[in-house]
Amino acid sequence: MRGHRDLRLILALTALCAVGSLITPLGAVRAIFAVPLALVLPGYAIVAAAFGVRLPAWPERVPLTLGISLAAAALTSLVLNYLPGGIHGFSWTLLLVLIVLLACRSAARRRGRLRGRYQPPSLRSLKPTPIAAALGIATLAMVVAALILAQVTFDNGDAAGFTQLWIAPPKPTDASTRIGVTSEQQGTRAYRLVIEVEGQAKPVVENFELKPSHTRVVKVDSGGTPPPAGVEAKLFLRSRPDKVYRRVSTQLR
């Protein structure tokens, strides 16, 4: 990347954001690193690779960068969804870093074909005009607003909420089976979860309340019962304690 200051800067920021998003424990701080990695850096690198030295002006480049970054994030998620490991923070970050690296390498090679005729952009040339800055700020504001709205649950009297009762098999590092309740109701709901394990006389009973979009997870094991042992989970609404609201079952192995 010698002679390409903007590409070296993109690679350095990508490495910083990737490491920061993976090692930072706090969600709010992690977003500071994850948002540029997802919404800015891949798009800039792909635009640089696609247009070479004929980069579009800033009013077109800013929304183009954001749009391509969103498309890259969506496509990487789609690819990871069909891979054995699924979508995880590490694999998703690694794939985005690989996209930025390959795109920057392609952009450098296209610029290198011009030999001495190409002049790398200076900091002054990277300074946007007032119109470009306003359009960029407006685009960023719309993206941030969309992300915030995606995480907010609004009350709607005409909408029908639902509750999901799910069961997951043991992990390689944890022999317990996980049973979870996820609420997508319009308000806080009170639940009673009864888990019966074959060979155990006393069921596991959990009483709790869930706010919208919250999840409660309970771990169970065979408790010494020889596998396979049947497990059945029944979920009740506390407002209707006599009727089973949700039911799942599996075998502990």
Side-chain angles (χ1 to χ4, degrees):
M1 302 298 174
R2 182 177 301 176
H4 306 285
R5 289 189 293 267
D6 61 328
L7 299 183
R8 293 204 308 270
L9 178 60
I10 291 297
L11 289 175
L13 291 176
T14 299
L16 175 64
C17 291
V19 173
S21 62
L22 290 175
I23 67 174
T24 305
L26 298 177
V29 179
R30 188 185 302 117
I32 298 176
F33 298 100
V35 168
L37 181 61
L39 301 182
V40 179
L41 300 173
Y44 185 94
I46 294 174
V47 168
F51 290 90
V53 297
R54 299 179 179 179
L55 288 174
W58 277 105
E60 296 84 13
R61 199 186 313 175
V62 170
L64 190 60
T65 295
L66 291 173
I68 293 179
S69 294
L70 288 171
L75 290 176
T76 53
S77 301
L78 182 63
V79 171
L80 291 174
N81 184 58
Y82 289 98
L83 293 179
I87 302 175
H88 295 284
F90 178 78
S91 58
W92 184 73
T93 301
L94 183 63
L95 192 53
L96 287 179
V97 170
L98 183 62
I99 290 173
V100 174
L101 179 61
L102 294 177
C104 286
R105 178 60 180 169
S106 176
R109 293 186 64 180
R110 291 195 63 184
R111 294 175 180 180
R113 294 172 185 170
L114 297 177
R115 299 178 182 176
R117 292 181 293 166
Y118 171 67
Q119 295 294 329
S122 62
L123 293 178
R124 181 175 298 180
S125 66
L126 294 176
K127 183 178 180 180
T129 63
I131 295 179
L135 289 174
I137 292 173
T139 304
L140 284 173
M142 288 187 289
V143 172
V144 172
L147 293 174
I148 294 175
L149 290 175
Q151 302 297 322
V152 175
T153 301
F154 294 95
D155 292 333
N156 188 341
D158 297 327
F162 67 93
T163 301
Q164 181 184 23
L165 176 63
W166 52 267
I167 189 165
K171 297 181 179 180
T173 57
D174 188 354
S176 300
T177 296
R178 293 168 296 135
I179 298 174
V181 181
T182 301
S183 174
E184 295 297 342
Q185 302 287 348
Q186 296 299 308
T188 302
R189 288 288 184 93
Y191 301 95
R192 181 170 178 262
L193 179 63
V194 179
I195 304 172
E196 298 178 348
V197 180
E198 185 179 354
Q200 297 183 16
K202 187 176 180 180
V204 178
V205 180
E206 295 277 341
N207 293 286
F208 52 89
E209 294 183 351
L210 285 180
K211 296 180 180 180
S213 300
H214 283 210
T215 299
R216 178 68 173 264
V217 178
V218 179
K219 293 183 177 182
V220 297
D221 53 43
S222 60
T225 303
V231 178
E232 184 180 50
K234 300 176 184 178
L235 183 67
F236 300 83
L237 296 175
R238 269 198 237 166
S239 59
R240 303 183 66 180
D242 302 337
K243 184 176 181 180
V244 176
Y245 182 57
R246 295 284 187 269
R247 186 198 309 265
V248 294
S249 61
T250 189
Q251 294 283 333
L252 291 175
R253 298 185 183 275

